[in-house]
């Protein structure tokens, strides 16, 4: 895969079912960050020759992004409703078009944990959004796009 630019990356929400997804791009986003981390467990023994040994445990993900406050935008309305109604929303954070086999990213059913409005004097009103995978029958997964 060639180098990709952030402006070519895509954030999608699923308006279908998990088994038969209908991916709709959320275009009203700026500066998306997909943070992936693992917990750690210390497995140090005397056989490590004085070195600490660590293995990875549970994976953790969060998706942070900013949107222009636009109540007519369907993507914005879906994120806003998920926050205020305490409902999950399935998202895919992709490096390109979800139909491009070279595109990859995280697919997860998420809960919206932060929906903070910013009202800078000389800027459009925006909202900072933070979502994380939530309790669901389908674990988060790393996917590749499909034709």
């Amino acid at each position: 895969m060639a180098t990709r630019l952030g402006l070519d990356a895509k954030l999608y929400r699923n308006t279908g079912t998990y088994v038969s997804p209908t991916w709709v791009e959320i275009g009203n986003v700026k500066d998306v960050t997909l943070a992936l981390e693992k917990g750690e467990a210390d497995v140090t023994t005397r056989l490590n020759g004085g070195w600490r040994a660590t293995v990875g445990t549970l994976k953790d993900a969060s998706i942070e992004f900013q949107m222009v406050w636009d109540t007519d935008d369907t993507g914005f309305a879906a994120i806003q409703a998920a926050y205020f109604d305490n409902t999950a929303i399935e998202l895919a954070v992709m490096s390109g078009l979800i139909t491009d086999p070279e595109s990859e990213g995280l697919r997860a059913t998420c809960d919206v944990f932060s929906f903070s409005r910013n009202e800078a004097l000389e800027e459009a009103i925006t909202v900072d959004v933070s979502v994380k995978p939530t309790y669901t029958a389908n674990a988060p997964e790393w996917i590749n796009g499909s034709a």
Side-chain angles (χ1 to χ4, degrees):
M1 173 167 63
T3 301
R4 295 201 177 224
L5 299 175
L7 64 91
D8 296 325
K10 306 290 182 187
L11 178 64
Y12 293 93
R13 69 184 173 97
N14 182 4
T15 60
T17 65
Y18 188 85
V19 175
S20 183
T22 302
W23 294 109
V24 177
E25 182 181 354
I26 302 174
N28 176 14
V29 294
K30 299 179 175 187
D31 300 335
V32 177
T33 299
L34 171 60
L36 301 171
E37 298 179 6
K38 272 188 193 178
E40 301 178 354
D42 185 346
V43 292
T44 306
T45 67
R46 292 178 180 149
L47 294 175
N48 291 104
W51 289 90
R52 185 172 308 280
T54 309
V55 295
T57 60
L58 297 175
K59 293 176 185 73
D60 191 18
S62 68
I63 306 164
E64 317 280 335
F65 55 94
Q66 188 177 67
M67 303 179 86
V68 172
W69 189 277
D70 180 358
T71 56
D72 290 335
D73 179 76
T74 57
F76 176 88
I79 299 290
Q80 184 182 41
Y83 177 77
F84 284 110
D85 298 341
N86 294 317
T87 56
I89 186 167
E90 186 181 356
L91 300 174
V93 185
M94 303 298 292
S95 61
L97 293 171
I98 203 160
T99 55
D100 178 356
E102 292 190 10
S103 180
E104 59 183 354
L106 183 73
R107 175 186 185 181
T109 302
C110 298
D111 200 354
V112 181
F113 286 94
S114 177
F115 192 78
S116 302
R117 192 163 80 180
N118 306 303
E119 300 176 358
L121 187 60
E122 291 189 11
E123 300 293 331
I125 295 175
T126 59
V127 62
D128 291 325
V129 179
S130 175
V131 304
K132 294 182 180 184
T134 191
Y135 182 77
T136 180
N138 304 298
E141 62 179 320
W142 194 256
I143 62 171
N144 287 48
S146 58

